[in-house]
Amino acid sequence: MEEKFAIGLGITPACNMKCPFCYSIERRNDNLELPIEDWMNFFEKNSGLIKDINFGTGENTLVDDWFKLVDYINNLSPDISQALTTNGSLAQIVAKDKQKDKIIQKSLSDIDVSLDYAIESKHNAFRGHNNAFKMAIDTLAYSQDCGFNNTLVVMGIDDTLTIENLDGIFDIAKKYDTLVRVNIYRPVNKNNGLEPPSLKTLLNMFDYVSDEHEICSLSDPLFNSTLSKQKIKKDPSGTSSLRIIPNGSIYPSTYLISKEFEIGTIYDENILSNVGDNPIIKELTNTVPSYCGSCEKVETCAGGTIDRRILWHETVDKPDPYCPSLHNLPVQLRDYKINTANFSSIHDGYLPTIFFRPKKVENE
C-alpha cells in the first residue's frame, strides 16, 4: 500500500496578527492565492493518498474559499480528518454566519487554538492584536461547546515556558477541557529578536508537567528517545507528513519552506505518489549524523529532529541542538511516564511536537 500523508495546508497568506515568530511570513509575502478550483482539483486527484489535513500557515478562517474547500473535502472524502489551527478568529466569524458554522461543525474533528500567555495584555502584545486573548478564549469556548478534539497551542520560548505562565495556561486548558501542545520555537527569522528555549527551560517544563499534570505524547524523536522509553517515534517530515503553502508549493516540513526544499507543486502529476523517490526527501530522511554513530540512542533518535538540524547547522549531518551529549549530559535525561490513554490529535505524528494534558483534581 502507498503511504498516506498528513498534510499541513494554508490556502491564504492573509493574517490579522503580527506574530514575531511567524515561520511563513517571508513565503507568504507574495500574497499569491490560488483559485479554489485548483485546490479542489488537487484533492480530487490525491484524496486517496491523504489521511489527515491540518489547516494552518495563514489564518484560513479569514477567507470564504477556505470554508468552501473544507466542505468540498468533507463531501469528497469524509474519511479524511480535517483540523484547524487558528489564532482565535474562528469564533467571531462563525458567530456571524450560520452556514460557515454548519460547515465547521460537520467537517472538522480537531481545533487547535494558539495562546502563548495566560495574561491577556502579554498575549495581546506578543500577537500584535488588541483582542488576541479574547478571540482565543472565545474560540476555546466555542470548540468546547461543539465537542471538538481541542488543543491549546503555546509557542515555546523561555518567556512562555516559565512555571508561572504554564500554571496559567494549564488553568485555562482545564477550564475549556483542552490538551496543551508546545511548539518549540525554531529560529526561522534571524531578525525578530527571539531565541529558541534553552534545554534547561525545556527540562524544567517537562519536570513541572510530569509532577503536576500529564505528558500525553512526545512526538519529537530526540525528546521521545531521551525522556522516555517508548517505542521509536521517527520524524514524520517528508515520510508521512508534508506542508503545502498558499502558492501551491510542497515541502517536507512546516519549518523548511525555503525554495531549496520544494519537492514540487500541487500541479505536478502524481506528486504524492512519488514523494519517496524525491532526492530532497531521500537526503533529509536517510541521513543519520556521523556524530551519532556510537550513541546508544542512535536507533531511536536517529540524530533528532530534521528541521532543527537544518535550521541550526544548515545540514542534517549534525545532531539535534538539544542532543544531551552536546550539553555534556547523559543521553537518558529522564524516564517519564507517558499517559496515552484517550489521547488523539491530528498533530501527533504530523510534525515534531509535544502534548500535555491538565490533571483534573478528583471531585473538582
PDB file of all heavy atoms in Angstrom, residues 340-360:
ATOM      1  N   THR A 340      -0.933   7.862  27.448  1.00  0.00           N
ATOM      2  CA  THR A 340      -1.552   7.969  26.126  1.00  0.00           C
ATOM      3  C   THR A 340      -3.038   7.606  26.139  1.00  0.00           C
ATOM      4  O   THR A 340      -3.697   7.633  25.093  1.00  0.00           O
ATOM      5  CB  THR A 340      -0.829   7.059  25.118  1.00  0.00           C
ATOM      6  OG1 THR A 340      -0.914   5.698  25.582  1.00  0.00           O
ATOM      7  CG2 THR A 340       0.632   7.450  24.975  1.00  0.00           C
ATOM      8  N   ALA A 341      -3.583   7.277  27.302  1.00  0.00           N
ATOM      9  CA  ALA A 341      -4.981   6.860  27.385  1.00  0.00           C
ATOM     10  C   ALA A 341      -5.912   7.977  26.899  1.00  0.00           C
ATOM     11  O   ALA A 341      -5.793   9.132  27.319  1.00  0.00           O
ATOM     12  CB  ALA A 341      -5.330   6.489  28.823  1.00  0.00           C
ATOM     13  N   ASN A 342      -6.812   7.618  26.008  1.00  0.00           N
ATOM     14  CA  ASN A 342      -7.817   8.560  25.478  1.00  0.00           C
ATOM     15  C   ASN A 342      -7.189   9.795  24.816  1.00  0.00           C
ATOM     16  O   ASN A 342      -7.818  10.853  24.762  1.00  0.00           O
ATOM     17  CB  ASN A 342      -8.774   9.016  26.597  1.00  0.00           C
ATOM     18  CG  ASN A 342      -9.495   7.858  27.245  1.00  0.00           C
ATOM     19  OD1 ASN A 342      -9.997   6.972  26.552  1.00  0.00           O
ATOM     20  ND2 ASN A 342      -9.530   7.848  28.569  1.00  0.00           N
ATOM     21  N   PHE A 343      -5.970   9.635  24.334  1.00  0.00           N
ATOM     22  CA  PHE A 343      -5.310  10.755  23.664  1.00  0.00           C
ATOM     23  C   PHE A 343      -5.347  10.555  22.159  1.00  0.00           C
ATOM     24  O   PHE A 343      -5.045   9.482  21.647  1.00  0.00           O
ATOM     25  CB  PHE A 343      -3.849  10.874  24.111  1.00  0.00           C
ATOM     26  CG  PHE A 343      -3.027  11.744  23.193  1.00  0.00           C
ATOM     27  CD1 PHE A 343      -3.183  13.119  23.208  1.00  0.00           C
ATOM     28  CD2 PHE A 343      -2.121  11.181  22.291  1.00  0.00           C
ATOM     29  CE1 PHE A 343      -2.449  13.931  22.351  1.00  0.00           C
ATOM     30  CE2 PHE A 343      -1.380  11.980  21.439  1.00  0.00           C
ATOM     31  CZ  PHE A 343      -1.548  13.362  21.472  1.00  0.00           C
ATOM     32  N   SER A 344      -5.712  11.612  21.456  1.00  0.00           N
ATOM     33  CA  SER A 344      -5.600  11.605  19.992  1.00  0.00           C
ATOM     34  C   SER A 344      -5.503  13.036  19.505  1.00  0.00           C
ATOM     35  O   SER A 344      -6.069  13.959  20.106  1.00  0.00           O
ATOM     36  CB  SER A 344      -6.809  10.914  19.338  1.00  0.00           C
ATOM     37  OG  SER A 344      -7.987  11.687  19.505  1.00  0.00           O
ATOM     38  N   SER A 345      -4.760  13.220  18.437  1.00  0.00           N
ATOM     39  CA  SER A 345      -4.642  14.524  17.802  1.00  0.00           C
ATOM     40  C   SER A 345      -4.084  14.316  16.408  1.00  0.00           C
ATOM     41  O   SER A 345      -3.174  13.499  16.205  1.00  0.00           O
ATOM     42  CB  SER A 345      -3.718  15.457  18.581  1.00  0.00           C
ATOM     43  OG  SER A 345      -3.478  16.645  17.845  1.00  0.00           O
ATOM     44  N   ILE A 346      -4.621  15.049  15.453  1.00  0.00           N
ATOM     45  CA  ILE A 346      -4.082  15.002  14.101  1.00  0.00           C
ATOM     46  C   ILE A 346      -2.618  15.429  14.100  1.00  0.00           C
ATOM     47  O   ILE A 346      -1.819  14.962  13.289  1.00  0.00           O
ATOM     48  CB  ILE A 346      -4.930  15.880  13.161  1.00  0.00           C
ATOM     49  CG1 ILE A 346      -6.249  15.165  12.837  1.00  0.00           C
ATOM     50  CG2 ILE A 346      -4.183  16.214  11.872  1.00  0.00           C
ATOM     51  CD1 ILE A 346      -7.200  15.943  11.966  1.00  0.00           C
ATOM     52  N   HIS A 347      -2.241  16.314  15.027  1.00  0.00           N
ATOM     53  CA  HIS A 347      -0.868  16.801  15.055  1.00  0.00           C
ATOM     54  C   HIS A 347       0.123  15.767  15.591  1.00  0.00           C
ATOM     55  O   HIS A 347       1.328  15.932  15.414  1.00  0.00           O
ATOM     56  CB  HIS A 347      -0.768  18.066  15.916  1.00  0.00           C
ATOM     57  CG  HIS A 347      -1.156  19.313  15.187  1.00  0.00           C
ATOM     58  ND1 HIS A 347      -2.441  19.781  15.150  1.00  0.00           N
ATOM     59  CD2 HIS A 347      -0.423  20.171  14.441  1.00  0.00           C
ATOM     60  CE1 HIS A 347      -2.489  20.886  14.435  1.00  0.00           C
ATOM     61  NE2 HIS A 347      -1.282  21.144  13.988  1.00  0.00           N
ATOM     62  N   ASP A 348      -0.359  14.735  16.245  1.00  0.00           N
ATOM     63  CA  ASP A 348       0.539  13.710  16.766  1.00  0.00           C
ATOM     64  C   ASP A 348       1.034  12.866  15.608  1.00  0.00           C
ATOM     65  O   ASP A 348       0.290  12.103  15.014  1.00  0.00           O
ATOM     66  CB  ASP A 348      -0.198  12.838  17.780  1.00  0.00           C
ATOM     67  CG  ASP A 348       0.731  11.872  18.478  1.00  0.00           C
ATOM     68  OD1 ASP A 348       1.869  12.269  18.804  1.00  0.00           O
ATOM     69  OD2 ASP A 348       0.331  10.713  18.708  1.00  0.00           O
ATOM     70  N   GLY A 349       2.290  13.024  15.266  1.00  0.00           N
ATOM     71  CA  GLY A 349       2.836  12.334  14.112  1.00  0.00           C
ATOM     72  C   GLY A 349       2.773  13.149  12.838  1.00  0.00           C
ATOM     73  O   GLY A 349       3.270  12.715  11.802  1.00  0.00           O
ATOM     74  N   TYR A 350       2.172  14.348  12.904  1.00  0.00           N
ATOM     75  CA  TYR A 350       2.163  15.227  11.735  1.00  0.00           C
ATOM     76  C   TYR A 350       3.417  16.094  11.722  1.00  0.00           C
ATOM     77  O   TYR A 350       4.014  16.338  10.682  1.00  0.00           O
ATOM     78  CB  TYR A 350       0.893  16.081  11.735  1.00  0.00           C
ATOM     79  CG  TYR A 350       1.018  17.404  11.019  1.00  0.00           C
ATOM     80  CD1 TYR A 350       1.351  17.456   9.664  1.00  0.00           C
ATOM     81  CD2 TYR A 350       0.832  18.601  11.689  1.00  0.00           C
ATOM     82  CE1 TYR A 350       1.496  18.672   9.017  1.00  0.00           C
ATOM     83  CE2 TYR A 350       0.968  19.814  11.046  1.00  0.00           C
ATOM     84  CZ  TYR A 350       1.293  19.844   9.714  1.00  0.00           C
ATOM     85  OH  TYR A 350       1.443  21.050   9.084  1.00  0.00           O
ATOM     86  N   LEU A 351       3.840  16.576  12.891  1.00  0.00           N
ATOM     87  CA  LEU A 351       5.089  17.317  12.978  1.00  0.00           C
ATOM     88  C   LEU A 351       5.691  17.070  14.350  1.00  0.00           C
ATOM     89  O   LEU A 351       4.993  16.652  15.273  1.00  0.00           O
ATOM     90  CB  LEU A 351       4.876  18.816  12.735  1.00  0.00           C
ATOM     91  CG  LEU A 351       4.305  19.711  13.838  1.00  0.00           C
ATOM     92  CD1 LEU A 351       4.456  21.167  13.433  1.00  0.00           C
ATOM     93  CD2 LEU A 351       2.850  19.435  14.113  1.00  0.00           C
ATOM     94  N   PRO A 352       6.996  17.270  14.507  1.00  0.00           N
ATOM     95  CA  PRO A 352       7.611  17.064  15.815  1.00  0.00           C
ATOM     96  C   PRO A 352       7.069  18.078  16.823  1.00  0.00           C
ATOM     97  O   PRO A 352       7.316  19.280  16.704  1.00  0.00           O
ATOM     98  CB  PRO A 352       9.103  17.286  15.549  1.00  0.00           C
ATOM     99  CG  PRO A 352       9.260  17.095  14.079  1.00  0.00           C
ATOM    100  CD  PRO A 352       7.981  17.602  13.479  1.00  0.00           C
ATOM    101  N   THR A 353       6.315  17.605  17.790  1.00  0.00           N
ATOM    102  CA  THR A 353       5.699  18.496  18.771  1.00  0.00           C
ATOM    103  C   THR A 353       5.487  17.724  20.062  1.00  0.00           C
ATOM    104  O   THR A 353       5.857  16.547  20.166  1.00  0.00           O
ATOM    105  CB  THR A 353       4.381  19.084  18.207  1.00  0.00           C
ATOM    106  OG1 THR A 353       3.912  20.123  19.056  1.00  0.00           O
ATOM    107  CG2 THR A 353       3.323  18.015  18.039  1.00  0.00           C
ATOM    108  N   ILE A 354       4.883  18.364  21.065  1.00  0.00           N
ATOM    109  CA  ILE A 354       4.786  17.795  22.405  1.00  0.00           C
ATOM    110  C   ILE A 354       3.383  18.038  22.939  1.00  0.00           C
ATOM    111  O   ILE A 354       2.854  19.151  22.826  1.00  0.00           O
ATOM    112  CB  ILE A 354       5.826  18.462  23.335  1.00  0.00           C
ATOM    113  CG1 ILE A 354       7.247  18.175  22.829  1.00  0.00           C
ATOM    114  CG2 ILE A 354       5.664  17.982  24.765  1.00  0.00           C
ATOM    115  CD1 ILE A 354       8.251  19.199  23.298  1.00  0.00           C
ATOM    116  N   PHE A 355       2.781  17.012  23.527  1.00  0.00           N
ATOM    117  CA  PHE A 355       1.416  17.125  24.049  1.00  0.00           C
ATOM    118  C   PHE A 355       1.359  16.861  25.549  1.00  0.00           C
ATOM    119  O   PHE A 355       1.947  15.888  26.035  1.00  0.00           O
ATOM    120  CB  PHE A 355       0.502  16.117  23.362  1.00  0.00           C
ATOM    121  CG  PHE A 355       0.147  16.462  21.947  1.00  0.00           C
ATOM    122  CD1 PHE A 355       0.927  16.006  20.896  1.00  0.00           C
ATOM    123  CD2 PHE A 355      -0.970  17.227  21.665  1.00  0.00           C
ATOM    124  CE1 PHE A 355       0.599  16.300  19.586  1.00  0.00           C
ATOM    125  CE2 PHE A 355      -1.306  17.529  20.354  1.00  0.00           C
ATOM    126  CZ  PHE A 355      -0.524  17.076  19.315  1.00  0.00           C
ATOM    127  N   PHE A 356       0.592  17.705  26.223  1.00  0.00           N
ATOM    128  CA  PHE A 356       0.330  17.541  27.646  1.00  0.00           C
ATOM    129  C   PHE A 356      -1.178  17.551  27.893  1.00  0.00           C
ATOM    130  O   PHE A 356      -1.958  18.022  27.066  1.00  0.00           O
ATOM    131  CB  PHE A 356       0.961  18.680  28.455  1.00  0.00           C
ATOM    132  CG  PHE A 356       2.441  18.863  28.222  1.00  0.00           C
ATOM    133  CD1 PHE A 356       2.962  20.134  28.021  1.00  0.00           C
ATOM    134  CD2 PHE A 356       3.305  17.787  28.231  1.00  0.00           C
ATOM    135  CE1 PHE A 356       4.329  20.336  27.831  1.00  0.00           C
ATOM    136  CE2 PHE A 356       4.677  17.955  28.027  1.00  0.00           C
ATOM    137  CZ  PHE A 356       5.185  19.240  27.832  1.00  0.00           C
ATOM    138  N   ARG A 357      -1.572  17.052  29.062  1.00  0.00           N
ATOM    139  CA  ARG A 357      -2.974  17.104  29.470  1.00  0.00           C
ATOM    140  C   ARG A 357      -3.059  17.620  30.907  1.00  0.00           C
ATOM    141  O   ARG A 357      -2.344  17.132  31.780  1.00  0.00           O
ATOM    142  CB  ARG A 357      -3.616  15.707  29.411  1.00  0.00           C
ATOM    143  CG  ARG A 357      -5.083  15.685  29.831  1.00  0.00           C
ATOM    144  CD  ARG A 357      -5.612  14.275  29.966  1.00  0.00           C
ATOM    145  NE  ARG A 357      -5.780  13.621  28.678  1.00  0.00           N
ATOM    146  CZ  ARG A 357      -5.132  12.521  28.321  1.00  0.00           C
ATOM    147  NH1 ARG A 357      -4.259  11.954  29.131  1.00  0.00           N
ATOM    148  NH2 ARG A 357      -5.343  11.983  27.133  1.00  0.00           N
ATOM    149  N   PRO A 358      -3.927  18.606  31.151  1.00  0.00           N
ATOM    150  CA  PRO A 358      -4.099  19.065  32.533  1.00  0.00           C
ATOM    151  C   PRO A 358      -4.642  17.945  33.410  1.00  0.00           C
ATOM    152  O   PRO A 358      -5.540  17.207  32.985  1.00  0.00           O
ATOM    153  CB  PRO A 358      -5.129  20.201  32.413  1.00  0.00           C
ATOM    154  CG  PRO A 358      -5.161  20.567  30.973  1.00  0.00           C
ATOM    155  CD  PRO A 358      -4.785  19.330  30.207  1.00  0.00           C
ATOM    156  N   LYS A 359      -4.102  17.824  34.594  1.00  0.00           N
ATOM    157  CA  LYS A 359      -4.583  16.810  35.518  1.00  0.00           C
ATOM    158  C   LYS A 359      -5.771  17.393  36.290  1.00  0.00           C
ATOM    159  O   LYS A 359      -5.665  18.451  36.914  1.00  0.00           O
ATOM    160  CB  LYS A 359      -3.481  16.382  36.483  1.00  0.00           C
ATOM    161  CG  LYS A 359      -3.910  15.257  37.443  1.00  0.00           C
ATOM    162  CD  LYS A 359      -2.751  14.810  38.307  1.00  0.00           C
ATOM    163  CE  LYS A 359      -1.700  14.069  37.496  1.00  0.00           C
ATOM    164  NZ  LYS A 359      -0.610  13.554  38.349  1.00  0.00           N
ATOM    165  N   LYS A 360      -6.889  16.702  36.219  1.00  0.00           N
ATOM    166  CA  LYS A 360      -8.076  17.169  36.930  1.00  0.00           C
ATOM    167  C   LYS A 360      -8.072  16.624  38.359  1.00  0.00           C
ATOM    168  O   LYS A 360      -7.781  15.454  38.585  1.00  0.00           O
ATOM    169  CB  LYS A 360      -9.334  16.724  36.194  1.00  0.00           C
ATOM    170  CG  LYS A 360      -9.490  17.376  34.833  1.00  0.00           C
ATOM    171  CD  LYS A 360     -10.797  16.989  34.162  1.00  0.00           C
ATOM    172  CE  LYS A 360     -10.960  17.681  32.837  1.00  0.00           C
ATOM    173  NZ  LYS A 360     -12.226  17.335  32.161  1.00  0.00           N
TER     174      LYS A 360
END
